[in-house]
Amino acid sequence: MQSLENHFLIAMPSLQDPFFKHTVTYICEHNENGAMGLVVNHPIDVTVGELLDKIEIDNDKTTPAAAQHVFAGGPVHTDRGFVLHTPKLGYSSSQELSSDIMITTSKDVLASLTSTSCPEAFLITLGYAGWERGQLEKELLENSWLVIEADPAIIFNTPPEQRWEKAVQMLGIDAAQLSSQAGHA
């Protein structure tokens, strides 16, 4: 089995599940026991500043970071927050997922997001997408997903509404030419 960690799952047009329709999911973990990822292109109507207020973390509402939207990371444990961020020294609880992306659930990182000591770029999700053993592989065989190595620029530098199309373009495919019908030769 080839691990899909640090890859994007790009939802095919035929995937009509309301939570995953036109999503780009960053795979954080994938092994023989299953997979875990974060949807990176479904902003919700909550800003970082509002979320920090809700969990009682002081923050500076005047910063651009406080105005960023939080994302629906997946349908599992929507009460748990995850922060994908660019590498920064000093975050002992952050785990390196690639040379360009780290993940944490730690409050010390959350507390720094609207300060001058914040990471260069970050994205907060509530919840995650999870697959049991063999489930993701089955979905791949059913043509539910396209897979490509993750590009941090899509996560951190591309407007959310353009992430799906940009991820598809990384494959050299025009998104308009993707069929919603799955075919098997």
Side-chain angles (χ1 to χ4, degrees), residues 22-45:
H22 278 96
T23 57
V24 177
T25 303
Y26 176 77
I27 298 299
C28 302
E29 184 175 28
H30 181 220
N31 56 40
E32 65 280 352
N33 297 319
M36 179 266 188
L38 301 172
V39 175
V40 297
N41 67 324
H42 275 191
I44 59 175
D45 196 21

Side-chain angles (χ1 to χ4, degrees), residues 50-110:
E50 291 166 346
L51 176 69
L52 295 176
D53 283 347
K54 221 176 257 187
I55 57 177
E56 299 178 355
I57 293 179
D58 287 337
N59 62 92
D60 181 353
K61 300 278 185 309
T62 65
T63 64
Q68 284 187 38
H69 278 273
V70 174
F71 289 75
V76 183
H77 288 295
T78 56
D79 57 332
R80 290 191 58 198
F82 297 86
V83 182
L84 288 177
H85 63 88
T86 51
K88 181 157 178 65
L89 295 175
Y91 291 148
S92 58
S93 57
S94 290
Q95 178 184 344
E96 186 176 292
L97 298 174
S98 76
S99 59
D100 300 308
I101 301 171
M102 299 183 87
I103 187 171
T104 190
T105 58
S106 172
K107 281 193 168 191
D108 68 329
V109 175
L110 288 170

Side-chain angles (χ1 to χ4, degrees), residues 20 24 34 124 135 154 158 160 163:
F20 292 105
V24 177
I124 297 178
Q135 183 182 2
I154 287 179
T158 303
R163 291 177 187 164

Side-chain angles (χ1 to χ4, degrees), residues 98-144:
S98 76
S99 59
D100 300 308
I101 301 171
M102 299 183 87
I103 187 171
T104 190
T105 58
S106 172
K107 281 193 168 191
D108 68 329
V109 175
L110 288 170
S112 77
L113 294 180
T114 64
S115 73
T116 56
S117 63
C118 71
E120 184 180 317
F122 69 89
L123 180 141
I124 297 178
T125 73
L126 293 177
Y128 66 91
W131 292 264
E132 296 176 350
R133 175 193 297 257
Q135 183 182 2
L136 179 54
E137 291 76 9
K138 181 177 180 276
E139 290 179 14
L140 290 168
L141 289 172
E142 294 169 348
N143 294 318
S144 295

